[in-house]
Amino acid sequence: MSESRRGVLYGIAAYAMWGLFPLYWPLLRPSGAVEILAHRMVWSLVAVIAVLAVRRHWSWFRELARQPRKLLLLTLAAVVVSVNWGVYIYAVNTGHVVESALGYFINPLVSVLFGVMIFRERLRRWQWVAVGLGALAVVVLTADYGRPPWIALVLAVSFGTYGLIKKSANVGAAESLTVETLVLLLPALGYLAFLQAQGTATFGSAGLGHATLLAGAGVVTAIPLMCFTAAAIRVPLTVIGLLQYIAPILQFLCGVLVVHETMPPSRWAGFAIIWLALAVFSWDGLRNARTVRRAAGAAPALETV
């Protein structure tokens, strides 16, 4: 199997697992969203340390410790991703799976806006069309919900911010997740200790199966991240950009077909506009990538004339 095809399979696996998360978090009831989040932080650290131990890869830690800027960025990333994780778990466990899917549909457009506002990037005409359609969809869905879709917006902005920080830090997936979960470890353990002292903790009191599922939160966090990293180094970003829609599509299907969330016509209209925006965005990205490849191929030919 070629490395490119292997990378695509890794990418599909990563986004499929992320897309099926709405089926996992409800299994952790009666744990609350914050307790689940705390366990996810703790057990993610255990899982990623196990991965690093298998790889015998520890030399990076000493080098990273001498780079305070990167440590600060990863600390900030830890705070942002904890917000993203917590809101997502809350959304899934309170019957807002479709709205959480909307957040990850919007995320590519948020990333584009970050590029404009922070890096002063210039958008192409069709990119502006996609962003405009995305804004229109938010207006339509605000009218439908009777409020702005806060869950979707927080998920989109927090995940976009997380990606921006991780790009600036430029640290490997396992290494950065190790630092992020180390930053979150003490607050997470402190909260879990508080629940134990209050007698309201569900870990150990709701049966062995429940405790195993809570510990499994670390595994289901680490495995798709490892698959995503394996995909990112093997396939072009344009392919990754298309594969990323697998996750929100599966989340949306979980919300509609499994959770049976209500989808009035106005909500379908809002999602239809978002899907149109993403279709325009993807088409423009593929067209631009093709133009760049052609230009790169023509350059050597011009040099030989």
Side-chain angles (χ1 to χ4, degrees), residues 109 130 132-141 266-280:
L109 304 179
L133 287 170
L136 175 61
V138 171
V139 171
V140 171
L141 290 167
S266 55
R267 198 164 302 171
W268 278 111
F271 271 88
I273 297 172
I274 279 290
W275 294 331
L276 177 60
L278 294 176
V280 170

Side-chain angles (χ1 to χ4, degrees), residues 143-157:
D144 170 71
Y145 283 112
R147 58 169 176 80
W150 292 117
I151 289 174
L153 293 174
V154 170
L155 289 175
V157 172

